[in-house]
Amino acid sequence: MPNVVVQQLNRLNDALFKAVIGGNETIALDLINSFLIQQGTPTLQSIAFIDRELDPVEEEGKESRLDLLGQDSATGAKANLEVQVIKQEYFGQRSLYYWARLYNSLRRGDIYHDLKRTITISILDFNLFDPEKYPEPYSCFGLYDLSTGNQLTTDLEMHFIELPKWHIAKPTAELTAMERWISYFDRKTKLEELEAIAVQATMIKEALAAENIFTQDEIRRRAYDLAEKAERDRRGQMDYAHQQGMAQGVAQGISQGISQGISQGISQGIS
C-alpha cells in the first residue's frame, strides 16, 4: 500500500466513521476483534453489515437507533459499533435498552437456543463513570452472580471506551490492538504517534488510506463539515441551556434568600 497522509480529523464524526469503518467490513472486523481480544472472549470470524441503522422503533416514545450493526455469518453473533460525542443522561440504561432490542430476535417457532451472542461497543467522548473512582478508560460488562462471579450467559457483552481518560503512556510498539484503535479515535493523539501506529497496524493504515479518499470527495467532505457544524451547534445549545439554568438558579436563590430574610426580620421585630 502506498504511503498515506495522516490528517487532523475528528474520527468520531458520524459521516467519517460510517464511511471509513462502515465502508470496509475488514476494518470493522479488526476493530471489533481488538476489543474481544482485550477481554479474552471469542473473536468473530467475519462481519457482514445487516443494517446500517435500525429503523426507528417507537416503544414508549423511545427510538432505537444504532450506528453500525454487523453479524458473524459463521456463528450468527451480532456486533454493534457506536460513537457518542455528547454526554447523555442514563447512558447505561440506554445502552442496555439498545442491546436488548438487538438480542430480542426470536420469531414464531424459534427456541431460546436460537438467541445469539450480542456485543455492543460504545466509543464515548465523555466520562461515563466517575474518573476518581474508575480511572480506567476501558470497561466491559456481562451478566454475573454478585456473590460468586458465576456468569449466567456469554450472550451479553457490552464494551465501553471513555476517551477523556485515555492517554498514550508507553511506546506505540507496546500498545495492544485495542489501545491502537483507541488512539486512532482519540483527538489527543499526536500525528507522529498515529503515523507510528499505522506502521504497526495494517488495518489502521487501511483506515487512514480510506480517510484520504474520503476527504478528496467533495460531497463526502461536505457531509463531514455539516456533521461537525451540527455537533458544534448541539454543544452550543447545551452550554447556553446550562448557563441559563445556572442564572435562573442563582436568581431564584437570591429571591428566596431575600424573602427568608424579610420573614425573619418581621418575625424578630414582632417578638
Side-chain angles (χ1 to χ4, degrees):
M1 179 192 299
N3 291 331
V4 297
V5 177
V6 180
Q7 304 175 77
Q8 193 71 52
L9 295 169
N10 174 17
R11 295 177 174 86
L12 301 180
N13 179 284
D14 188 63
L16 182 61
F17 181 81
K18 289 179 180 175
V20 173
I21 309 299
N24 189 314
E25 292 173 350
T26 305
I27 294 176
L29 180 64
D30 189 80
L31 171 58
I32 293 167
N33 278 340
S34 73
F35 283 83
L36 307 185
I37 292 169
Q38 187 80 16
Q39 188 60 27
T41 55
T43 57
L44 304 186
Q45 299 178 39
S46 64
I47 194 75
F49 296 120
I50 54 177
D51 275 341
R52 293 302 175 85
E53 292 181 4
L54 291 182
D55 292 331
V57 177
E58 288 294 332
E59 185 170 315
E60 297 181 358
K62 304 298 181 185
E63 287 189 350
S64 277
R65 180 173 174 173
L66 307 175
D67 286 327
L68 292 176
L69 176 61
Q71 189 167 28
D72 186 337
S73 58
T75 65
K78 298 175 186 176
N80 174 66
L81 285 167
E82 177 185 22
V83 294
Q84 272 292 338
V85 296
I86 303 295
K87 187 177 179 70
Q88 295 190 10
E89 194 173 6
Y90 307 118
F91 188 82
Q93 290 92 325
R94 171 190 179 278
S95 299
L96 186 60
Y97 173 82
Y98 284 170
W99 176 90
R101 287 209 55 83
L102 278 178
Y103 188 61
N104 181 21
S105 57
L106 291 182
R107 299 177 180 177
R108 185 181 297 274
D110 288 347
I111 58 177
Y112 294 120
H113 177 72
D114 296 322
L115 290 167
K116 302 300 181 183
R117 177 188 178 199
T118 300
I119 304 157
T120 62
I121 298 173
S122 301
I123 303 170
L124 311 177
D125 201 24
F126 57 86
N127 288 331
L128 179 59
F129 305 109
D130 184 346
E132 296 278 331
K133 295 181 180 178
Y134 309 102
E136 292 300 317
Y138 169 65
S139 53
C140 180
F141 295 87
L143 289 173
Y144 296 87
D145 182 274
L146 295 178
S147 300
T148 65
N150 184 34
Q151 189 172 18
L152 178 65
T153 174
T154 58
D155 283 0
L156 170 62
E157 208 170 317
M158 300 176 68
H159 302 256
F160 296 92
I161 285 294
E162 301 164 84
L163 289 176
K165 296 178 180 178
W166 171 249
H167 64 279
I168 298 177
K170 54 187 174 182
T172 57
E174 296 178 13
L175 296 174
T176 66
M178 185 194 73
E179 290 171 341
R180 290 171 183 166
W181 273 114
I182 297 174
S183 301
Y184 167 81
F185 286 109
D186 186 15
R187 287 183 251 201
K188 300 187 297 294
T189 301
K190 300 175 183 177
L191 293 183
E192 57 267 26
E193 291 174 325
L194 196 50
E195 288 173 352
I197 289 171
V199 173
Q200 300 147 8
T202 302
M203 284 300 104
I204 290 181
K205 187 174 182 179
E206 290 273 5
L208 294 171
E211 290 177 4
N212 290 174
I213 296 172
F214 176 92
T215 54
Q216 292 170 14
D217 185 312
E218 290 186 11
I219 295 176
R220 287 187 165 187
R221 184 69 199 217
R222 174 64 175 163
Y224 172 92
D225 292 337
L226 287 174
E228 288 294 278
K229 180 180 182 300
E231 181 187 335
R232 288 194 298 270
D233 289 347
R234 281 195 300 270
R235 290 185 184 276
Q237 291 168 359
M238 291 177 66
D239 288 343
Y240 176 75
H242 178 68
Q243 293 299 325
Q244 287 292 102
M246 288 184 62
Q248 290 175 3
V250 170
Q252 186 176 3
I254 292 173
S255 176
Q256 290 177 347
I258 293 173
S259 297
Q260 289 175 359
I262 292 173
S263 298
Q264 284 182 341
I266 293 174
S267 175
Q268 290 172 359
I270 293 174
S271 61

